[in-house]
């Protein structure tokens, strides 16, 4: 059953969280993911790119994709303030403008 890049990234993320892939560990490359999940090379690459975009992994050109040795900062929500002249602003912008 073919899977999406998001599903493969979720599986890899779970394996990282469980400790199967520790900090600095090399993640399976595109060819290994293609064989393991039965997907196209672009789908496998997309899964790795999702992990990189989330800050969970980083790429070394010509070497592979590796697990970062720290937990990424995840922003759950942004507090928004209403500015009388400028409409809605994120808290960080409103603080900057007030200062």
């Amino acid at each position: 059953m073919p899977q999406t890049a998001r599903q493969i990234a979720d599986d890899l993320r779970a394996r990282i969280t469980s400790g199967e892939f520790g900090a600095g560990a090399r993640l399976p490359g595109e060819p290994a993911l293609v064989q393991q999940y039965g997907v196209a090379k672009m789908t496998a690459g997309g899964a790795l790119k999702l992990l990189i975009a989330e800050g969970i992994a980083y790429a070394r050109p010509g070497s592979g994709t590796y697990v970062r040795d720290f937990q990424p900062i995840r922003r759950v929500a942004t507090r928004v303030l209403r500015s009388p002249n400028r409409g809605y602003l994120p808290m960080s912008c409103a603080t900057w403008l007030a200062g």
Side-chain angles (χ1 to χ4, degrees), residues 18-44:
S18 73
E20 184 177 341
F21 295 114
R26 186 173 186 264
L27 294 174
E30 288 179 2
L33 294 174
V34 166
Q35 186 176 21
Q36 182 178 354
Y37 292 100
V39 295
K41 185 177 177 185
M42 286 195 63
T43 303

Side-chain angles (χ1 to χ4, degrees), residues 24-26 52 57-67:
R26 186 173 186 264
I52 292 167
Y58 64 95
R60 284 191 201 159
S63 179
T65 305
Y66 296 84
V67 178

Side-chain angles (χ1 to χ4, degrees), residues 4-25:
T4 65
R6 174 63 61 190
Q7 292 169 325
I8 295 169
D10 290 343
D11 183 46
L12 289 171
R13 192 179 307 103
R15 292 168 69 184
I16 292 167
T17 304
S18 73
E20 184 177 341
F21 295 114

